[in-house]
């Protein structure tokens, strides 16, 4: 068994199946994307027990008994602050990298609610954006941190 987006799921694929394939092909979760397929681009990023991990190179056996969160698990009834901030900052260009970036940024804000620019850059270091929307992405993460702070006040 595995917990995915707060639901218990039976593993119905061979142990060596990459988590990304299971998420997309068996569960229909299209948030995590296939980019490089080698753990280098971050398009497939998910949270495993709250930590960002690439799912393209993570076999199912390694996540048995763990909790996985995909983009779909971040904002359900209403958008996550990050999703709202990314819309407001128009941070997406082609959008292919955004699922992984949102997942990585959510882990950052969970650990560091008011991150510095340097901390944001470091947290997103494993997420590539080929469109060059980095400045807008950083602003969106800063905005999300502000939104969360105001909501908590
Ligand atoms: Fe997994 Fe690139 S597709 S890191």
């Amino acid at each position: 068994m595995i917990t995915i987006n707060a639901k218990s799921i039976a593993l119905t694929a061979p142990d060596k199946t990459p988590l990304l394939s299971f998420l997309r092909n068996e569960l229909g979760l299209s948030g995590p994307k296939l980019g490089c397929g080698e753990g280098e681009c971050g398009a497939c990023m998910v949270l495993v027990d709250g930590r960002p991990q690439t799912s393209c190179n993570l076999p199912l056996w390694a996540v048995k008994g763990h909790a996985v969160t995909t983009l779909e698990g971040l904002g359900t009834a209403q958008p996550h602050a990050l999703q709202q901030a990314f819309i407001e900052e128009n941070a997406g260009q082609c959008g292919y990298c955004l699922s992984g970036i949102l997942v990585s940024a959510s882990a950052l804000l969970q650990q560091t609610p008011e991150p510095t620019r340097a901390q944001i850059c470091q947290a997103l270091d494993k997420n590539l954006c080929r469109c060059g929307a980095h400045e807008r992405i950083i602003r969106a993460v800063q905005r999300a941190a502000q939104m969360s702070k105001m909501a908590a006040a």
Side-chain angles (χ1 to χ4, degrees):
M1 295 294 279
I2 182 174
T3 303
I4 297 179
N5 297 334
K7 286 186 190 155
S8 275
I9 305 279
L11 293 173
T12 54
D15 270 1
K16 285 195 244 173
T17 304
L19 175 60
L20 177 64
S21 300
F22 183 71
L23 294 171
R24 291 184 60 87
N25 301 338
E26 303 295 325
L27 303 182
L29 296 171
S30 58
K33 301 285 189 276
L34 175 62
C36 65
E38 298 178 352
E40 299 292 332
C41 75
C44 64
M45 199 71 79
V46 298
L47 300 179
V48 178
D49 297 333
R51 293 187 171 173
Q53 289 209 12
T54 52
S55 60
C56 66
N57 57 354
L58 193 60
L60 284 181
W61 63 258
V63 291
K64 275 185 184 170
H66 293 272
V68 173
T69 305
T70 68
L71 175 71
E72 290 87 346
L74 288 186
T76 49
Q78 60 183 22
H80 188 281
L82 278 162
Q83 292 167 315
Q84 190 62 41
F86 271 65
I87 291 168
E88 291 174 12
E89 289 290 343
N90 196 21
Q93 187 85 17
C94 81
Y96 201 79
C97 65
L98 284 189
S99 170
I101 287 175
L102 287 162
V103 165
S104 293
S106 74
L108 169 68
L109 295 185
Q110 191 71 32
Q111 292 294 315
T112 311
E114 296 182 55
T116 63
R117 180 185 170 86
Q119 287 171 317
I120 295 170
C121 292
Q122 184 177 12
L124 300 182
D125 191 46
K126 293 192 178 344
N127 296 91
L128 301 183
C129 167
R130 292 184 173 200
C131 301
H134 302 90
E135 284 304 318
R136 284 179 284 157
I137 289 168
I138 292 167
R139 279 202 307 273
V141 176
Q142 291 169 325
R143 179 186 281 253
Q146 281 297 316
M147 291 166 64
S148 297
K149 184 178 172 185
M150 288 166 55

